[in-house]
Amino acid sequence: MRNTLAVLLLTAFAFTVSSAQTAPTTKSETAKSAKPANVYPMQEGYVDSHGALIYYMSVGHGAPLLIAHGGPGASHDYFLPYLLPLMRTNCLIFIDERGSGKSSKLEDTSQYNIDNMADDIETVRQALGLGKISLLGHSFGGGASAGLCAQVSEKSFAFDSGQHLPQYERTQ
């Protein structure tokens, strides 16, 4: 009986030791294995859109909200203090339009037009695999957003509070 009890205790001890070696033992190891809901990782990069490198930065959880800044010539930075709280319920994707912020500057100024900027938004959406998005465009970015809405076959709505609504007759 003593031998059986000793074998059972040694087996239990060996199992406990092997389990302890594979399980996280510190807070930092536990934190690495599971991300808390209050952590919002950020991703940034560039998407090549017909020769223009379009910078994007994404952060947050939830349905995608793509944001096009005003300008031209500005960047997405002025949005950050106001829109970052939305990252709790949306994945925010900020872009810098062609020729603005961290996106590439083009020598051929004829490439700076609403149609191309609308195409840039769509190219970023597709490249990031976003599927259906909500789109927020401010000032000149509202014009590019409205240009994209004019291109899509689904029901869409665009509102631009500025004076940037162009004529929407596609040149292609």
Side-chain angles (χ1 to χ4, degrees):
M1 181 76 166
R2 266 190 193 168
N3 286 342
T4 306
L5 184 57
V7 168
L8 287 174
L9 286 174
L10 285 174
T11 305
F13 176 74
F15 179 74
T16 304
V17 169
S18 69
S19 296
Q21 290 174 352
T22 58
T25 56
T26 65
K27 271 188 172 180
S28 65
E29 288 177 9
T30 303
K32 289 178 187 175
S33 63
K35 294 180 184 172
N38 64 344
V39 172
Y40 303 94
M42 186 178 82
Q43 177 186 356
E44 62 183 334
Y46 292 88
V47 173
D48 190 335
S49 179
H50 313 291
L53 294 174
I54 306 301
Y55 172 82
Y56 74 91
M57 188 268 285
S58 66
V59 63
H61 304 293
L65 172 60
L66 198 144
I67 300 140
H69 62 78
S75 78
H76 72 278
D77 292 340
Y78 70 92
F79 278 127
L80 296 178
Y82 307 104
L83 296 183
L84 278 180
L86 295 176
M87 73 183 172
R88 294 182 181 104
T89 56
N90 292 90
C91 177
L92 305 178
I93 303 98
F94 297 92
I95 64 167
D96 284 347
E97 296 159 7
R98 58 177 54 213
S100 301
K102 294 181 181 179
S103 290
S104 62
K105 304 341 180 222
L106 304 173
E107 289 185 30
D108 181 2
T109 57
S110 70
Q111 296 300 306
Y112 296 110
N113 59 63
I114 293 291
D115 286 341
N116 285 347
M117 292 178 169
D119 288 342
D120 293 345
I121 294 170
E122 177 62 7
T123 300
V124 169
R125 184 193 70 78
Q126 289 178 4
L128 298 180
L130 296 177
K132 186 175 182 179
I133 62 168
S134 295
L135 180 58
L136 181 139
H138 173 249
S139 191
F140 189 82
S145 299
L148 178 60
C149 290
Q151 294 176 21
V152 297
S153 59
E154 297 177 12
K155 290 184 179 180
S156 56
F157 174 77
F159 175 77
D160 179 30
S161 61
Q163 302 169 347
H164 306 288
L165 292 174
Q167 298 297 317
Y168 290 113
E169 293 180 24
R170 294 286 292 181
T171 56
Q172 300 170 340

